[in-house]
Amino acid sequence: MADEFIGLGETPVESTQKTNSERSDMQPTNEASNVSDVQDRTPTPAHLITVNLIDNRSPIVLLFGAPSSGKTMTLVRLAKYLRPHGYQLVVDANFCGNAWEYQENMRNFNSMLNTNFAMKGTGRNDFLLVKILDSHANTVCQILEGAGEDYFPSNMIAGIPRYQVPFPAYMTTVFASSNKKVWMFLTEPNWQQNRAEYVDRIRFCKQQHFGNRDKCIIVYNKIDTTPYSTGDTVNEDAASVQCNNEYPGIFGIFPNNSPLPWASKYDCEFVPFSTGTYGLPVPGQQAQYVPSREIHPAKLWNAIMKCIRG
């Protein structure tokens, strides 16, 4: 789980060159910018949602976490880090055309990147596929940010334990694709939900949906709320021990079977992380947001690139 620095300008072998016409298709449409009266809309039935994964070569990063685990703001923090370094983050408008929630989230995400406010978490049927393009318009990777309730349901459904509840079709379509996957499992200190069930959910996901080339990152979010983070210094070893104590068995899901004596015990990356700080919420308004120190998104991006290349 040791870090190895990878320069921001480098791109993985799997990168895919896009034409100008293909890139323009991924830009927000007029339909997305005119979505209104969201509260009055009927949620799209989950079984009717269809998705189309056009790019079946570029790696996919899966932001996996329970509701309110910080998936949306993790993506926002990465975006605010990458854009000044020559990267573009573009929502793939072609990924879903029959769910109004997708169009609304696309509009909100693009406006959010230019503000200093926190973006609300995704709700039911809310998801985004975001492409990260380098300065040469190569696709570095695609990030799927899905609804937390789809990743880790709040309750059992039809008598099925919640860690075994099937994933929705838009997720399994991506899971089954030929793209290399980087699974980013979000955890946090002092989490009040059932951590053992969450570990079981991750184990179920690995058993059912991991491919031979897939890689894993365990993200320990909100590291700034622990004693293991001071300024730009993070005690990663102590943080990983604490994470494993709070989520018993989570690292053991990913054993490293390499016979080499110097190989790591676990075949996964571990990244202590912070999205930033947030102001007190005001009714009817978004909370003020101050992004975390650069070290946090830098380490996360470095881990993503390492997984893509490995």
Side-chain angles (χ1 to χ4, degrees):
M1 292 188 287
D3 286 329
E4 177 184 352
F5 180 76
I6 298 173
L8 278 165
E10 299 178 15
T11 58
V13 174
E14 294 92 337
S15 294
T16 304
Q17 182 73 33
K18 295 295 179 183
T19 64
N20 289 333
S21 61
E22 286 175 309
R23 291 196 302 276
S24 65
D25 286 343
M26 294 187 294
Q27 298 297 336
T29 61
N30 290 333
E31 179 184 356
S33 63
N34 292 330
V35 174
S36 61
D37 300 326
V38 174
Q39 294 81 0
D40 298 331
R41 293 192 173 218
T42 302
T44 305
H47 68 282
L48 295 180
I49 295 176
T50 59
V51 295
N52 182 22
L53 186 61
I54 298 174
D55 182 354
N56 60 4
R57 293 183 57 193
S58 302
I60 299 174
V61 179
L62 300 158
L63 267 172
F64 190 112
S68 303
S69 59
K71 297 183 303 301
T72 299
M73 292 310 296
T74 295
L75 180 56
V76 167
R77 184 62 190 98
L78 268 178
K80 288 181 177 291
Y81 171 72
L82 292 173
R83 291 205 306 173
H85 291 91
Y87 288 85
Q88 300 179 61
L89 281 87
V90 183
V91 178
D92 189 343
N94 296 313
F95 182 61
C96 179
N98 72 331
W100 65 263
E101 294 96 332
Y102 191 84
Q103 302 299 320
E104 178 68 11
N105 270 297
M106 180 169 61
R107 183 179 69 85
N108 289 340
F109 179 76
N110 286 314
S111 62
M112 166 63 207
L113 296 184
N114 298 313
T115 72
N116 292 318
F117 294 95
M119 186 175 179
K120 72 178 184 67
T122 51
R124 196 59 165 162
N125 291 348
D126 290 349
F127 54 97
L128 286 174
L129 185 68
V130 180
K131 285 181 171 286
I132 298 183
L133 310 178
D134 69 8
S135 58
H136 301 291
N138 295 315
T139 301
V140 179
C141 63
Q142 308 169 83
I143 299 180
L144 176 67
E145 193 235 339
E149 186 66 26
D150 290 333
Y151 280 121
F152 188 50
S154 300
N155 301 290
M156 66 173 59
I157 299 176
I160 302 174
R162 62 175 176 161
Y163 73 89
Q164 292 182 335
V165 172
F167 293 94
Y170 80 86
M171 285 184 174
T172 56
T173 297
V174 176
F175 297 170
S177 72
S178 59
N179 306 65
K180 182 175 185 177
K181 319 294 190 315
V182 178
W183 299 78
M184 190 187 304
F185 297 105
L186 269 65
T187 64
E188 64 180 67
N190 304 311
W191 196 42
Q192 297 305 306
Q193 294 197 41
N194 191 318
R195 301 171 200 162
E197 280 195 306
Y198 185 60
V199 173
D200 285 340
R201 182 64 163 173
I202 294 173
R203 183 178 293 108
F204 172 79
C205 179
K206 182 175 186 292
Q207 292 170 346
Q208 297 291 322
H209 299 292
F210 264 49
N212 293 331
R213 297 188 301 147
D214 291 2
K215 298 294 183 179
C216 163
I217 303 172
I218 296 175
V219 179
Y220 198 40
N221 197 17
K222 303 181 182 179
I223 192 64
D224 52 322
T225 66
T226 73
Y228 313 119
S229 175
T230 304
D232 285 333
T233 302
V234 177
N235 187 334
E236 294 188 21
D237 290 338
S240 66
V241 170
Q242 183 62 25
C243 179
N244 199 40
N245 288 339
E246 291 192 275
Y247 299 82
I250 190 170
F251 290 104
I253 299 172
F254 308 97
N256 192 338
N257 298 318
S258 171
L260 299 176
W262 57 82
S264 300
K265 184 177 181 180
Y266 303 113
D267 187 20
C268 62
E269 298 295 312
F270 174 73
V271 179
F273 185 70
S274 169
T275 59
T277 57
Y278 303 85
L280 293 174
V282 177
Q285 297 183 21
Q286 293 173 290
Q288 289 279 348
Y289 168 61
V290 178
S292 62
R293 293 172 180 264
E294 292 277 284
I295 185 176
H296 297 296
K299 282 183 174 291
L300 184 57
W301 183 243
N302 180 59
I304 291 171
M305 293 296 292
K306 183 177 179 181
C307 288
I308 288 174
R309 293 179 178 278

